[in-house]
Amino acid sequence: MMTDMKRSKAEIEALIVKARQDAPSPSVDLLARVLMDAEANQPRATARLGVWRPGLWGRVLEGVGGWPSLGGLIAATIIGFGIGINPSAMIDTPASAMLGSFDTLSQYDADLSGLSWELSEG
């Protein structure tokens, strides 16, 4: 009986041993159905017509990290080029304070006329 709580330790161990011996096993039909379902869900091998190897630009793109990385690299290049052409006062002031100079353009004789960039006032 399930309500009988007064069993000895030997009786409980005997019941556990009996339960282990009477372990249910799956039927042969169930195992066959499971194996058929597993085989049906296996990926199929596809025939490869030829081995494709990326060209030079494909390898460069792989080396950079793919299209997202290349996009970030291009964006950083454009922004850096823009800041280099027209630095703002926010960038120029801390740099000049650290270097001890107040006018960085007068220190260098940069001839940018060949690039059609002229430094003119006014």
Side-chain angles (χ1 to χ4, degrees):
M1 266 196 189
M2 296 298 284
T3 59
D4 186 16
M5 296 292 193
K6 297 180 181 177
R7 293 188 185 237
S8 69
K9 190 174 182 180
E11 288 177 339
I12 293 174
E13 287 183 15
L15 288 173
I16 290 173
V17 169
K18 185 179 180 205
R20 284 183 184 157
Q21 291 173 352
D22 295 337
S25 62
S27 67
V28 176
D29 293 334
L30 176 65
L31 290 176
R33 287 192 312 252
V34 168
L35 286 176
M36 279 194 325
D37 188 39
E39 288 175 0
N41 288 319
Q42 290 292 322
R44 302 281 180 229
T46 57
R48 296 185 73 178
L49 298 176
V51 176
W52 179 77
R53 292 185 181 186
L56 175 66
W57 292 112
R59 289 186 301 225
V60 168
L61 186 63
E62 284 179 13
V64 169
W67 286 108
S69 298
L70 187 65
L73 194 66
I74 290 171
T77 302
I78 291 171
I79 290 172
F81 188 71
I83 290 173
I85 289 175
N86 188 15
S88 67
M90 193 169 113
I91 295 173
D92 193 28
T93 305
S96 63
M98 290 167 82
L99 296 174
S101 63
F102 296 102
D103 187 13
T104 57
L105 291 178
S106 65
Q107 292 178 359
Y108 303 107
D109 186 18
D111 184 22
L112 299 177
S113 61
L115 300 172
S116 299
W117 298 332
E118 296 178 1
L119 297 175
S120 61
E121 294 182 13

